[in-house]
Amino acid sequence: MKKLFIFSLILSTLTHNIYCNSILNNVSISGTYLGLFNIIENNQSQFDYATNIDFNYTISEEVSGIIQLQTGAGNGSIDFEGPEAVLTDITLEYAPKNMGLNVTLGSFDVPFGHETDKLTNNADTFNNIHFFNSLPYSALAGAVGTLNTLGIKTEYKLSNAHFISSITNGTSETANNNNNTFQTTAQLSLFTNENGYRLTTSILNSDDSNDTAGTSLNSNLTAYLLEFDLPIDVIKLNINYGNFNFDDNTNSTTDSIKTFGIGISTQLKSLFAGIKSSFWRPDGATMSTSAPTVPGLLSSTSTSANNDQYQLSIGYHLSKHSMIRTEYIINNYLFSNSTTQTTAGFISGINVRF
């Protein structure tokens, strides 16, 4: 009996070790750290930080996924997550070999625009020349965030084209779907090569107008976006134009907001720099009740103000996994009563991948 017990204990220990080693071989942990100092006009000067932690797992050569946690110090003038940790991305991806197909299930960034892959996502700014996102994306998820949604996304890549579509719960970042409707998106990119000339068209529709108990935009939103990427030698030029229609089913209000922008960036070895302008143009003084407040540095409840945002950034890659950057950003507001206000900010910091 004693020998049987010892044998069972040894077998149990070996099985446990083999199982744990198998899990560890299929799971990796990575992430980003962002530490910075910022001065936002009409607010305090401060040090701040944020971090993303990614749990990457592989089930087979064709099936993998990611679970991402985001957090930060909290209560800063920049809207990083924190001080509690927040679960954002949680996906299962199926990518069959040699088919150019990728199917994603779970919580992911709303695939609206080619710029989605270049947004600042809490502590991860590596794909963005600037710290802050442009105005249309700031309206959807804040200046340093991305809009997550729950559902299914399908991507199909050809040699000179890329198509992405999704069906999800809507603009809520949770499983809530009180409106009982689904958000649909479609995006088509035509390009010479992955880093060459590119034309991207994106459309989105999400009726969350009755979703008052959730965390959605509470709107019947229809939007489209056109983007042109034009690389010229060491210079990259991006031009975009879009329209957001926040329908509140009321004839006495204006629903549409136009956005457009232009960005120029360059990279010379480890040094990089960029200038970006983005513009927010509500169509009238009496906006839809479901229209978002005007995005930007200024804390305002206005939904009808014009805003011009200008960003200038310069940075240096210390290594493949670390960089320093300084950005100056300015917002010029024009309100419906013809008054103007200018708000500026200065941000400097270090971003590290691990």
Side-chain angles (χ1 to χ4, degrees):
M1 186 70 180
K2 184 177 180 181
K3 290 182 180 180
L4 179 61
F5 172 76
I6 294 173
F7 175 76
S8 300
L9 181 62
I10 293 173
L11 182 62
S12 163
T13 302
L14 289 174
T15 304
H16 178 267
N17 288 339
I18 292 171
Y19 178 72
C20 289
N21 288 334
S22 175
I23 291 176
L24 291 175
N25 288 335
N26 293 313
V27 177
S28 64
I29 300 176
S30 60
T32 51
Y33 168 87
L34 176 63
L36 51 78
F37 173 77
N38 66 271
I39 303 173
I40 305 298
E41 190 174 307
N42 301 324
N43 210 316
Q44 70 264 33
S45 305
Q46 62 189 200
F47 293 97
D48 204 349
Y49 83 89
T51 188
N52 295 1
I53 301 175
D54 300 328
F55 298 88
N56 308 278
Y57 61 91
T58 302
I59 296 175
S60 69
E61 292 184 0
E62 297 182 338
V63 181
S64 61
I66 185 173
I67 299 172
Q68 183 176 93
L69 298 175
Q70 297 183 357
T71 189
N75 300 316
S77 56
I78 299 175
D79 294 329
F80 294 124
E81 297 290 354
E84 299 83 6
V86 176
L87 177 64
T88 55
D89 293 2
I90 176 167
T91 64
L92 179 69
E93 297 185 22
Y94 172 59
K97 290 183 178 180
N98 305 318
M99 290 185 61
L101 177 67
N102 187 295
V103 179
T104 301
L105 300 172
S107 171
F108 47 82
D109 297 338
V110 174
F112 182 66
H114 181 59
E115 192 176 344
T116 299
D117 294 332
K118 302 176 183 179
L119 297 176
T120 292
N121 187 10
N122 200 54
D124 187 358
T125 73
F126 275 90
N127 294 326
N128 197 344
I129 291 292
H130 308 278
F131 281 119
F132 279 7
N133 295 326
S134 58
L135 289 177
Y137 290 101
S138 295
L140 294 176
V144 292
T146 60
L147 180 62
N148 278 68
T149 189
L150 275 68
I152 181 170
K153 176 176 67 172
T154 302
E155 302 180 59
Y156 188 63
K157 285 188 177 182
L158 298 172
S159 57
N160 297 107
H162 187 190
F163 179 72
I164 306 175
S165 63
S166 69
I167 300 176
T168 65
N169 284 347
T171 56
S172 174
E173 295 187 312
T174 70
N176 177 73
N177 190 22
N178 288 337
N179 213 80
N180 202 31
T181 58
F182 293 102
Q183 174 181 276
T184 56
T185 66
Q187 179 185 139
L188 175 64
S189 284
L190 303 174
F191 47 84
T192 53
N193 59 66
E194 283 292 346
N195 297 312
Y197 297 98
R198 179 185 294 263
L199 168 63
T200 304
T201 303
S202 306
I203 57 174
L204 177 152
N205 177 255
S206 187
D207 185 0
D208 300 312
S209 54
N210 296 322
D211 202 4
T212 54
T215 58
S216 71
L217 296 179
N218 305 138
S219 171
N220 185 2
L221 170 62
T222 302
Y224 68 83
L225 183 66
L226 301 175
E227 299 166 285
F228 301 92
D229 290 297
L230 307 169
I232 306 170
D233 197 16
V234 296
I235 301 294
K236 292 184 178 180
L237 173 66
N238 172 268
I239 302 170
N240 59 75
Y241 177 85
N243 187 87
F244 293 81
N245 191 78
F246 296 91
D247 186 8
D248 62 356
N249 296 314
T250 303
N251 294 329
S252 60
T253 60
T254 304
D255 300 331
S256 294
I257 298 171
K258 294 180 175 61
T259 69
F260 50 97
I262 182 170
I264 301 173
S265 63
T266 187
Q267 180 157 345
L268 301 171
K269 294 184 178 180
S270 296
L271 183 68
F272 62 92
I275 301 173
K276 178 181 283 187
S277 303
S278 54
F279 306 92
W280 184 260
R281 292 290 184 273
D283 278 355
T286 306
M287 288 301 300
S288 164
T289 56
S290 57
T293 57
V294 177
L297 297 179
L298 182 65
S299 295
S300 170
T301 58
S302 174
T303 59
S304 59
N306 292 344
N307 186 13
D308 301 343
Q309 177 170 285
Y310 304 96
Q311 299 169 256
L312 171 63
S313 296
I314 184 168
Y316 186 83
H317 286 276
L318 301 171
S319 68
K320 183 179 179 181
H321 300 291
S322 63
M323 64 179 175
I324 54 175
R325 181 197 289 122
T326 295
E327 177 176 339
Y328 179 71
I329 180 171
I330 185 168
N331 283 180
N332 292 325
Y333 294 84
L334 173 62
F335 295 93
S336 56
N337 61 2
S338 298
T339 61
T340 62
Q341 185 168 346
T342 298
T343 303
F346 170 85
I347 312 160
S348 186
I350 183 169
N351 209 181
V352 177
R353 280 192 292 219
F354 57 86

